[in-house]
Amino acid sequence: MIALGLIAAAWRDRPLTAALHTLMMAAGVAVATALLLFSVQSDRRLAHDARGIDLVIGAKGSPLQLVMAAVFHIDVPTGNIALADAQRIAADPRVARAAAIGLGDSVRGWRIVGADAAFFALHEAAPAIGRLPEAPMEAVIGADAARRLGLRPGDSFHGAHGLGEGGDHHDEDYTVVGVLAARGSVIDRLIVTPLESIWATHGAPAETAREATAVLVRTKTPFAAMALKQEVNTGTTMVAARPPEEAARLFSLVGAGADAMRGFAVLLIGLAALSVFAGLLSLLRERRGDIALLRAMGATRVTVFGALLGQGLATAALGAGIGIGLGHIAIEAFARMSSQARELGLTGLSAHPGEFVIVTAALGAGLLAALIPAIGAYRVDVAQTLSEAP
Amino acid sequence: MIAISNLQVSRGGRSTLDLPAWRVQAGAMALVTGPSGSGKTTLLHVLAGLLRPDRGSVEIDGVAIGALAEPARDAFRAGRIGVVFQTQRLMQSLTVTGNLALALRLARRSADRRRMTDVLGRLDIAHLASRRPRSLSVGEAQRAAIARAIVAGPRLLLADEPTSALDDAHAEAAIDLLCAEARACDATLVVASHDARIFERFDTRLSLERSS
Ligand SMILES: Nc1ncnc2c1ncn2[C@@H]1O[C@H](COP(=O)(O)OP(=O)(O)OP(=O)(O)O)[C@@H](O)[C@H]1O
Ligand SMILES: [Mg+2]
């Protein structure tokens, strides 16, 4: 194709301009792609992790924080509640299933959750190898945690106080009795042990003084969840929160920032298109003689039109390709550097159909930017231009 | 072979060329003379199919080019006509070789490296093959433009004021080159010029008057 050769020649003729336009387009597409991957993946992860949990009840404090700590295992808990209170809720006739959990310890950044058998039922989790814990200081490991920590049934490990990496070490040894089958949800990243282990490592309180961090509840009907939430929030000192509501609230908080970023991405792509437009227009002005000569050598109007349009499209396509790659690299780098990003399930290694829309938008912008200069090239008066002084 | 009858061309509403009849035999060397503004460039543009006459017919090798649709005229020009223009001689964004390769591709010929080196060698500019036009001297650019015009082996070679910027020795050499190259590819040559130094080199001459 003659037009393709001309596009390549134009790029070789002005490599700096071409590189600048391509990079601008790449920057816009990269921001849009990273934003898309971030929101889609974290949204999916939060929806997935909260599946089957209609209500969380915990100590007084921010409901958002309670959900982030007890369901998504991202934030620190708000405090503890009395085990008796937790048991009273579990006994409510509207409750289908309830699991009291105890948080606070971790192994090299992976969280230990104290919970009874109801917790596995709530998360629909079953051991892939070994069995579920039955006695204090036995633990079953989620699929991801087991792989990353290299723990297998029969191994033992120390828990550390606190939820970050490298807290004070407890003296007691946990024994691994099983590894859970991967569920693609938060339980893959948890280490689960009976609540008694948590009490034992924290000074073995008397029967009446026993506490839990929160209760996860599945109600029989959605209406029951609303009613129970209302009762707990008005009638007790505890806080009840519904994970979908809190996730939505989180997204409305993050959403404002995401909207700003989206606007920024659109601005970048628009600026890239504008600079392509300006570049092609000045090319048309400065190289009008070239275009006329090209026609005089026998190129058709359609060829010169295609050469300019193709230049805009090729810049956009190259920029979009680089941008998609950069967006994925950015998300993957973020996921590897931050454990919070990992908890949100971010990965640069999977693509999303929405990227197709971003690429189409970039190509459309490039095409639009090149259209007017291309029409100008189509219309060049060859005889007139060739008889003008250079 | 060129056959023109009753040719009338106007630009911007004014008649710029009025040529009742003119014939050039195949393989002949023709010179078009006349004062500035008499329509020499206009005539070459009409012969190249770049300007459509208002009236009259222009036949090149038996093809009435005015009757061809624009894409067909473009293709005809690419395959059969080489033009050395008065000012715009080479594509500025391409090297000398790039210009030659493009001319070959537009004529639907393969960009044969041997053929290009051959032509550049004959015009004594093989060493300029990878240079950009703006780095060439006027004489070098002129020879490169001749190379570009003849590389695809045209049947008709048109040259507009090929000697205007050259000293006596170079003007002589440029005309020698054009005649030799036209003869080498068995093409008809039409040169437009008001340069008196080159008159006696041509067997066919046409003198244009400024139309009032
Ligand atoms: N685009 C145009 N619009 C109006 N008039 C034009 C246009 N192009 C050329 N002319 C006029 O047509 C006439 C012939 O022009 P042309 O360029 O053919 O002359 P020429 O013989 O080549 O002159 P020179 O020796 O100076 O190159 C001139 O009077 C010129 O002003
Ligand atoms: Mg002229």
Side-chain angles (χ1 to χ4, degrees), chain A residues 2 6 9 12-13 287 289-290 293-301 382-384 386-390, chain B residues 11 41 45 50-51 70 74 77-78 85 87-94 99 102-103 105-106 132 134 148:
Chain A
I2 285 162
L6 292 172
R12 243 176 289 130
D13 192 32
R287 292 277 191 261
D290 268 20
L293 183 62
L294 191 58
R295 295 283 326 277
M297 288 162 75
T300 61
R301 283 185 196 274
V382 182
Q384 166 74 44
L386 288 174
S387 47
E388 280 164 5
Chain B
R11 311 288 310 272
T41 297
H45 285 173
L50 295 170
L51 265 183
E70 194 182 70
D74 292 334
R77 184 163 61 243
F85 291 97
T87 54
Q88 180 75 32
R89 297 187 166 118
L90 295 161
M91 292 272 293
Q92 299 300 311
S93 56
L94 297 173
N99 271 273
L102 182 60
R105 254 180 286 129
L106 284 165
R132 300 262 164 172
R134 58 177 160 269
R148 197 217 73 228

Side-chain angles (χ1 to χ4, degrees), chain B residues 130-148:
Chain B
S130 54
R131 292 266 288 271
R132 300 262 164 172
R134 58 177 160 269
S135 74
L136 301 180
S137 76
V138 175
E140 287 169 343
Q142 194 144 44
R143 276 182 285 165
I146 294 172
R148 197 217 73 228

